Amino acid sequence: AEVTHGFVGADLAALAREAAMAALRRLINEGRIDFEAEHIPKEVLEELKVTRRDFYEALKMVEPSALREVLLEVPNVHWDDVGGLEEVKEELREAVEWPLKYPEAFLGLGITPPKGILLYGPPGTGKTLLAKAVANESEANFIAIKGPEVLSKWVGESEKNIREIFRKARQAAPTVIFIDEIDAIAPRRGTDVNRVTDRLINQLLTEMDGIQENSGVVIIGATNRPDIIDPALLRPGRFDRLILVPAPDEKARLEILKVHTRRVPLADDVKLEELARKTEGYTGADIEAVVREAAMLAMRRALQEGIIRPGMKADEIRSKVKVTMRDFEEAMKKIGPSVSKETMEYYRRIQEQFKQSR
Ligand code: ADP
């Protein structure tokens, strides 16, 4: 129990399996198991016990998933998958994609690219999506961590793991490190009674300060609580590019609707423009949920009417089942907007404050 800090249930199951395998391997290596024989003799079976040593062998193979999650990936998200947010995309292209793709150009022109970028705005507006898209379009590796998980899953190991993440990132450069819900590990120092986050912020700052210019590592943080972030994190050379990711306006909502209905068979009466107009306050995530719900309604109807039958192929179903305007309207009754005018005003005010303090 002591040495399996940070292991979740599935990790422990894997550990037990690996330990049993280690025991089996040991007996095979010792020549105790004769493959020619029809049965394993009873005495050998009785000796087939998983020992402490087998568990330690297994520990070399099984990593806690908290750390496995920081494994590198190249996300499969493109700029096209992000609806609207044209200005934000442009800014990310210049602040992340160009420096990662053309580091020599920045050196040659004497421009210092930002090390850290903070995306802030209401939940579900596409911050994670943007980070993945910019990593992919920059042909960079992507490491994603979530602030709250750093605190809960990595108990006692958080600082070590942060160091490890930055080491992996440097090794695999160009790399984008994405820290979602960064406010969880970086609230104003002195506000946490047990000082855990104070130590984490210090570790994060040390790592960020240690990144060499043009070393191909960029950190993108995301938060919906920019007001509680420790100001030390926002100083020059750290998260010094602050970008608001707002709830989409009508034009952006139309783009998002187009993205999410790409593979949905729409009835002729569906007017995406009208849906865009009617979805004020809906975020990208809300719109995605509405489209899914509308398609589910169409599916329910088709199943009830016996239009979908077992064994039918996807193409045939697409030609026979259509999602109608009525389905969208019903879906919108169930899934409402998640961002109010007041909320957007709150973020605009913070945007103003950030601009003034720069
Ligand atoms: P955030 O990180 O801001 O909370 P996410 O990027 O995780 O939001 O968005 C959740 C999901 O909502 C995305 O995976 C995507 O399907 C959808 N979504 C959000 N914003 C957009 C957008 N601008 N264009 C297309 N889809 C979006």
Side-chain angles (χ1 to χ4, degrees):
E2 256 169 47
V3 294
T4 49
H5 238 313
F7 280 59
V8 298
D11 303 332
L12 294 170
L15 185 72
R17 198 170 47 240
E18 277 305 329
M21 282 301 292
L24 192 59
R25 241 176 262 129
R26 184 164 47 77
L27 284 167
I28 291 172
N29 287 341
E30 288 169 4
R32 305 297 306 264
I33 293 178
D34 177 6
F35 283 101
E36 302 294 307
E38 226 162 277
H39 301 287
I40 301 175
K42 214 159 150 246
E43 321 85 74
V44 178
L45 269 183
E46 269 164 13
E47 255 181 71
L48 190 50
K49 293 229 159 58
V50 180
T51 63
R52 183 189 173 87
R53 210 180 88 206
D54 297 326
F55 267 100
Y56 276 88
E57 277 303 307
L59 273 170
K60 291 184 198 157
M61 327 269 270
V62 184
E63 254 188 310
S65 33
L67 257 186
R68 231 182 302 135
E69 275 160 24
V70 309
L71 273 189
L72 298 159
E73 58 164 325
V74 177
N76 189 22
V77 177
H78 298 268
W79 288 129
D80 285 356
D81 299 319
V82 186
L85 299 170
E86 294 309 325
E87 285 164 32
V88 178
K89 285 192 222 169
E90 197 49 48
E91 211 170 328
L92 285 176
R93 255 189 217 116
E94 293 186 9
V96 181
E97 186 178 337
W98 292 0
L100 291 182
K101 266 191 172 164
Y102 315 109
E104 292 296 323
F106 281 76
L107 271 176
L109 290 165
I111 308 168
T112 312
K115 278 185 193 171
I117 288 137
L118 184 70
L119 302 175
Y120 64 98
T125 47
K127 296 180 287 298
T128 308
L129 203 62
L130 283 162
K132 286 184 174 170
V134 76
N136 185 13
E137 301 277 359
S138 314
E139 290 159 43
N141 283 303
F142 187 72
I143 297 180
I145 51 173
K146 275 193 167 57
E149 282 177 8
V150 171
L151 284 177
S152 63
K153 276 203 197 159
W154 299 356
V155 214
E157 303 269 280
S158 301
E159 289 151 274
K160 194 180 117 217
N161 284 346
I162 287 186
R163 220 177 308 133
E164 176 65 15
I165 284 167
F166 277 79
R167 195 187 60 77
K168 269 191 184 162
R170 280 192 301 270
Q171 220 173 37
T175 309
V176 170
I177 302 179
F178 178 61
I179 312 180
D180 199 8
E181 297 179 65
I182 192 168
D183 48 280
I185 52 172
R188 278 167 209 282
R189 272 175 289 189
T191 55
D192 177 10
V193 279
N194 50 36
R195 307 249 158 197
V196 179
T197 57
D198 286 11
R199 290 205 317 265
L200 281 181
I201 300 178
N202 289 335
Q203 186 64 42
L204 189 60
L205 292 178
T206 308
E207 292 296 341
M208 285 190 80
D209 292 347
I211 292 179
Q212 305 291 321
E213 260 168 43
N214 284 302
S215 65
V217 177
V218 177
I219 302 117
I220 301 182
T223 180
N224 47 28
R225 291 298 310 276
D227 53 315
I228 60 167
I229 301 264
D230 191 322
L233 233 73
L234 309 180
R235 297 230 177 87
R238 295 168 179 173
F239 290 95
D240 54 6
R241 203 61 70 88
L242 306 172
I243 305 179
L244 173 62
V245 183
D249 60 13
E250 190 179 321
K251 190 163 159 274
R253 293 198 296 273
L254 178 59
E255 294 306 318
I256 297 171
L257 278 160
K258 283 183 186 160
V259 168
H260 287 287
T261 52
R262 278 198 292 230
R263 296 184 306 135
V264 177
L266 299 176
D268 290 338
D269 72 335
V270 174
K271 301 273 174 298
L272 294 183
E273 290 78 7
E274 190 181 326
L275 290 173
R277 202 163 52 243
K278 287 181 174 166
T279 42
E280 167 131 44
Y282 283 73
T283 62
D286 297 334
I287 292 174
E288 185 192 15
V290 165
V291 174
R292 194 186 319 115
E293 179 61 24
M296 280 305 290
L297 286 171
M299 176 152 143
R300 250 173 248 149
R301 190 175 55 244
L303 279 170
Q304 265 163 14
E305 291 171 0
I307 298 174
I308 298 179
R309 284 186 316 274
M312 235 177 178
K313 289 276 183 283
D315 277 341
E316 194 182 350
I317 291 173
R318 287 173 65 80
S319 70
K320 290 194 172 145
V321 184
K322 303 285 171 193
V323 182
T324 65
M325 197 66 170
R326 176 96 199 279
D327 293 324
F328 278 100
E329 275 153 11
E330 286 301 313
M332 281 160 59
K333 279 185 202 156
K334 200 163 150 195
I335 297 144
S338 65
V339 181
S340 64
K341 278 210 174 70
E342 290 73 34
T343 306
M344 261 335 288
E345 270 162 31
Y346 158 83
Y347 285 106
R348 295 280 178 208
R349 269 202 305 280
I350 290 179
Q351 189 183 32
E352 276 311 306
Q353 282 169 15
F354 279 155
K355 271 187 195 154
Q356 276 161 18
S357 63
R358 246 120 243 276

